Amino acid sequence: MIRTAVPDDVPVIHAMVRELAEYEKALHEVRATEEQLRTALFGDHPAAFAHVAEETGEVIGFALWFLNFSTWRGVHGIYLEDLYVRPERRGGGHGKALLTELARICVDRGYERLEWSVLDWNKPSIDFYRSLGATPQDEWTVHRLTDKALTTLAARP
């Protein structure tokens, strides 16, 4: 079952964010707290949204996403920040169901893109995404400013 996340889901979503970061060999980079997630998802001005996969009353996966905008298409799209299904529950169609729900939201709201990033070494995920018809955008490279580089640039006159 796929459903919109509710505030009571925040602790398990936070735990799975950490599990995903550990899988991606980046647990040391996770700074987000449960309270930050709660505010982002359910505060006065939500900046992100989440859906969860539930099986026999237990949350076993999630998709956390936000709106982006294409100046070329002139409409919003969805950027999928994280998709995660606990390893022991993979292969049951939960990841596909989460992506299907996001695709439905796109179509229902007139959004024209559903996008996400995947680590180059994550072959199981790449194969899964390709099986759904997703195409890699090889000609684009993600760039990021964080920490000292971000504050240094912000401090420039």
Side-chain angles (χ1 to χ4, degrees), residues 35-52:
E35 191 53 39
Q36 286 174 311
L37 281 178
R38 188 178 322 286
T39 299
L41 294 169
F42 304 107
D44 291 338
H45 304 286
F49 308 92
H51 284 75
V52 295

Side-chain angles (χ1 to χ4, degrees), residues 16 19-20 23 60-63 82-87 90 98:
M16 288 188 289
E19 291 170 25
L20 174 60
Y23 171 75
I60 58 158
F62 77 99
D82 286 328
L83 175 69
Y84 182 76
V85 175
R86 289 198 155 137
R90 292 181 188 156
L98 285 162

Side-chain angles (χ1 to χ4, degrees), residues 1-6 9 12-13 16 50-64 82-86 89-90 92-99 101:
M1 177 177 122
I2 304 301
R3 63 171 174 78
T4 302
V6 297
D9 295 322
V12 72
I13 292 171
M16 288 188 289
H51 284 75
V52 295
E54 197 174 54
E55 190 173 83
T56 60
E58 177 187 0
V59 174
I60 58 158
F62 77 99
L64 195 143
D82 286 328
L83 175 69
Y84 182 76
V85 175
R86 289 198 155 137
R89 301 299 182 96
R90 292 181 188 156
H94 306 294
K96 183 176 182 179
L98 285 162
L99 283 170
E101 180 62 19

Side-chain angles (χ1 to χ4, degrees), residues 2 78 97 99-110 114:
I2 304 301
I78 286 177
L99 283 170
T100 298
E101 180 62 19
L102 297 186
R104 282 188 190 120
I105 291 169
C106 284
V107 170
D108 290 349
R109 297 182 187 178
L114 173 55

